[in-house]
């Protein structure tokens, strides 16, 4: 096995444990935390909202630090910080301290996984970079399907504190593995990207400047950032409340939960599809297909409510939006060059803060209109704009435009 696939699997594990503990584990922790400490769901949701915002805000910082410091050391430190924060969340009864530890966990998830994982995939792969991004980022979706059930079993058979300690301990075990396994580039082990016998062919595209002033003047990073920021906002808003949406449409509670879980499952499988598409065509074409498919899937909400229409929407929307975190780093590396990945990703990550607006948009729509109809119209318009922005990216300006996408080994 090529050594790079081992690193991508480790990144999957980091995203699984840290993203899962920070976000998806709350599905099982919410009620026990309220009962144990007398907290309210409103308070916990505010805590989660603050942590999510800080986690997104940490993306540019994580990219800047990753460009100057050892990725091996950063992933190890992220595992230690995330593991200790998870353990601490199980012993504090003060919601303010709990929020601080949750913020630390969200920030650590950008280091042990997240931004650092994408940087490693950009360095270790070229022709198979899309599949590598898909594998590394699949951990987030897998955690959404698996971790809540594991957490629920731990709470029921033991207690709240034990559940947090098990998750935190598992995260801490990643630290020595990260230190022993992670290397910044394949050349450090006398290897070449993708496990080939030589480095990739020199790119045919135009080299691009990546200074802050150059990025501000260049429309390409703005188009990428705004397009993916809008799409991630739509995905976060709709997928976070997919179960209650299906319930409002007439589905029974357990059926609605199964449909929502199925959407997460298809989103996980879609990561590999979109990664394959990035490798077989180009990330620019993949980004256009992704945005247009996402916009088209919103049209399924116009169908009369039924089990078939709900299942169809969950499938097509999950498949479309599931590729966002795969295509985004792929198009950045392809358009600006692997050597410039972190510098550009740091700039583009600023626009990802728009993702946080998806949650209040859904809430306001439901509170003011009694349904998600207004937010659906707004989100559909955002996806159309996002799709239009991807057509502003020119293939002949891509820094890594190779002659054939797949050459000989």
């Amino acid at each position: 096995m090529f050594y790079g696939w081992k690193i991508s699997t480790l990144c999957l594990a980091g995203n699984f444990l840290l993203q899962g503990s920070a976000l998806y584990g709350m599905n099982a922790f919410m009620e026990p935390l309220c009962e144990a400490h007398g907290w309210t769901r409103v308070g916990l949701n505010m805590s989660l909202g603050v942590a999510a915002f800080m986690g997104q805000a940490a993306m540019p910082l994580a990219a800047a630090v990753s460009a100057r410091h050892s990725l091996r050391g950063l992933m190890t430190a992220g595992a230690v910080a995330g593991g200790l924060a998870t353990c601490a969340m199980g012993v504090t009864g003060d919601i303010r301290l709990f929020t601080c530890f949750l913020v630390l966990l969200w920030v650590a998830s950008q280091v042990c996984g997240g931004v650092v994982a994408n940087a490693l995939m950009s360095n270790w792969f070229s022709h198979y970079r899309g599949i590598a991004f898909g594998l590394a980022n699949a951990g987030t979706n897998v955690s959404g399907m698996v971790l809540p059930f594991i957490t629920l079993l731990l709470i029921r058979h033991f207690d709240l504190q034990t559940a947090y300690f098990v998750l935190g301990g598992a995260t801490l075990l990643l630290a020595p593995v990260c230190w022993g396994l992670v290397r910044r580039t394949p050349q450090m082990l006398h290897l070449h990207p993708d496990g080939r016998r030589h480095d990739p062919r020199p790119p045919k595209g135009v080299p691009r400047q990546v200074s802050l002033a150059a990025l501000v003047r260049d429309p390409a990073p703005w188009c990428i950032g705004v397009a993916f920021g809008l799409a991630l906002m739509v995905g976060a808003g709709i997928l976070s409340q997919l179960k209650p949406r299906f319930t409002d449409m007439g589905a029974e509670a357990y059926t609605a939960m199964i449909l929502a879980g199925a959407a997460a499952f298809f989103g996980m499988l879609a990561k590999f599809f979109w990664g394959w598409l990035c490798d077989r065509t180009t990330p620019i074409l993949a980004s256009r297909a992704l945005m247009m498919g996402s916009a088209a899937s919103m049209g399924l909400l116009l169908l009369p409510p039924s089990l078939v229409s709900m299942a169809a929407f969950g499938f097509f929307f999950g498949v479309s939006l599931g590729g966002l975190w795969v295509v985004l780093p792929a198009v950045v590396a392809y358009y600006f060059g692997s050597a410039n990945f972190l510098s550009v990703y740091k700039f583009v990550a600023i626009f990802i803060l728009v993702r946080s607006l998806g949650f209040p948009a859904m809430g306001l729509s439901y509170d003011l209109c009694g349904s998600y109809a207004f937010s659906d119209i707004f989100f559909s318009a955002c996806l159309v704009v996002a799709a239009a922005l991807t057509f502003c990216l020119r293939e002949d300006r891509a820094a890594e435009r190779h002659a054939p996408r797949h050459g000989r080994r």
Side-chain angles (χ1 to χ4, degrees):
M1 179 190 292
F2 173 50
Y3 194 89
W5 295 118
K6 299 178 182 179
I7 297 181
S8 63
T9 304
L10 176 62
C11 294
L12 181 152
N15 283 322
F16 174 85
L17 285 169
L18 279 87
Q19 289 281 355
S21 299
L23 179 59
Y24 294 110
M26 195 58 70
N27 287 306
F29 282 124
M30 180 75 70
E31 291 177 340
L33 282 170
C34 292
E35 294 174 2
H37 306 302
W39 299 344
T40 64
R41 293 193 185 189
V42 174
L44 271 177
N45 275 290
M46 290 180 63
S47 176
L48 185 60
V50 170
F53 178 82
M54 294 302 294
Q56 297 299 146
M59 284 184 66
L61 177 61
V65 173
S66 299
R68 295 175 174 82
H69 298 280
S70 165
L71 300 184
R72 176 192 188 189
L74 286 172
M75 278 202 72
T76 303
V80 172
L84 293 177
T86 303
C87 292
M89 287 163 62
V91 297
T92 180
D94 188 329
I95 196 169
R96 293 167 297 183
L97 284 176
F98 181 87
T99 303
C100 291
F101 292 133
L102 191 57
V103 167
L104 178 59
L105 179 58
W106 269 88
V107 173
S109 71
Q110 296 292 351
V111 180
C112 188
V115 172
V116 174
N118 288 334
L120 286 168
M121 296 306 96
S122 178
N123 292 341
W124 277 87
F125 295 91
S126 177
H127 294 286
Y128 303 110
R129 185 181 289 154
I131 293 293
F133 279 132
L135 178 60
N137 287 284
T140 304
N141 292 81
V142 175
S143 68
M145 296 183 293
V146 176
L147 207 59
F149 295 99
I150 296 176
T151 304
L152 187 61
L153 289 174
L154 288 171
I155 295 173
R156 287 186 174 180
H157 288 81
F158 300 98
D159 54 29
L160 188 68
Q161 183 174 344
T162 301
Y164 271 118
F165 276 20
V166 169
L167 294 178
T171 305
L172 287 171
L173 290 176
L174 283 180
V177 182
C178 292
W179 184 258
L181 194 64
V182 173
R183 298 296 183 274
R184 189 180 193 95
T185 64
Q187 287 77 13
M188 296 178 70
L189 295 179
H190 308 289
L191 299 172
H192 301 285
D194 303 307
R196 297 176 178 243
R197 299 191 183 99
H198 50 77
D199 285 339
R201 296 181 183 182
K204 297 179 64 178
V206 180
R208 307 186 71 84
Q209 296 180 332
V210 294
S211 66
L212 179 59
L215 290 174
V216 170
R217 292 192 300 268
D218 190 345
W222 289 81
C223 291
I224 295 173
V226 173
F228 280 88
L230 290 174
L232 285 166
M233 176 189 69
V234 175
I238 291 182
L239 293 177
S240 68
Q241 299 180 46
L242 201 53
K243 186 264 184 186
R245 172 190 289 272
F246 289 153
T247 302
D248 293 342
M249 293 172 68
E252 191 268 334
Y254 287 106
T255 302
M257 182 64 78
I258 291 173
L259 289 172
F265 173 73
F266 291 126
M268 182 269 292
L269 294 181
K271 283 181 165 54
F272 298 99
F273 166 74
W274 290 109
W276 172 84
L277 190 62
C278 286
D279 294 335
R280 296 303 301 179
T281 58
T282 71
I284 293 177
L285 291 176
S287 66
R288 292 170 182 170
L290 185 149
M291 297 302 179
M292 289 190 294
S294 300
S297 68
M298 293 293 292
L300 294 172
L301 293 173
L302 300 176
L303 297 175
S306 69
L307 188 60
V308 174
S309 64
M310 287 185 279
F313 174 73
F315 172 78
F316 286 105
F317 191 80
V319 167
S320 299
L321 273 295
L324 286 172
W325 286 114
V326 177
V327 180
L328 171 58
V331 76
V332 169
Y334 174 72
Y335 204 80
F336 292 91
S338 178
N340 299 323
F341 175 80
L342 282 172
S343 299
V344 181
Y345 201 63
K346 174 179 61 177
F347 180 81
V348 171
I350 298 173
F351 298 93
I352 307 304
L353 287 171
V354 176
R355 182 191 184 206
S356 304
L357 299 178
F359 305 108
M362 293 286 288
L364 286 172
S365 175
Y366 195 84
D367 288 344
L368 297 176
C369 305
S371 70
Y372 296 118
F374 180 78
S375 61
D376 290 342
I377 296 173
F378 172 66
F379 286 159
S380 297
C382 288
L383 290 174
V384 171
V385 172
L389 288 172
T390 60
F391 283 88
C392 297
L393 302 176
R394 295 168 46 189
E395 290 283 356
D396 60 349
R397 293 288 293 168
E400 294 195 357
R401 183 170 59 87
H402 298 275
R405 289 289 290 166
H406 294 275
R408 288 186 176 181
R409 293 177 64 87

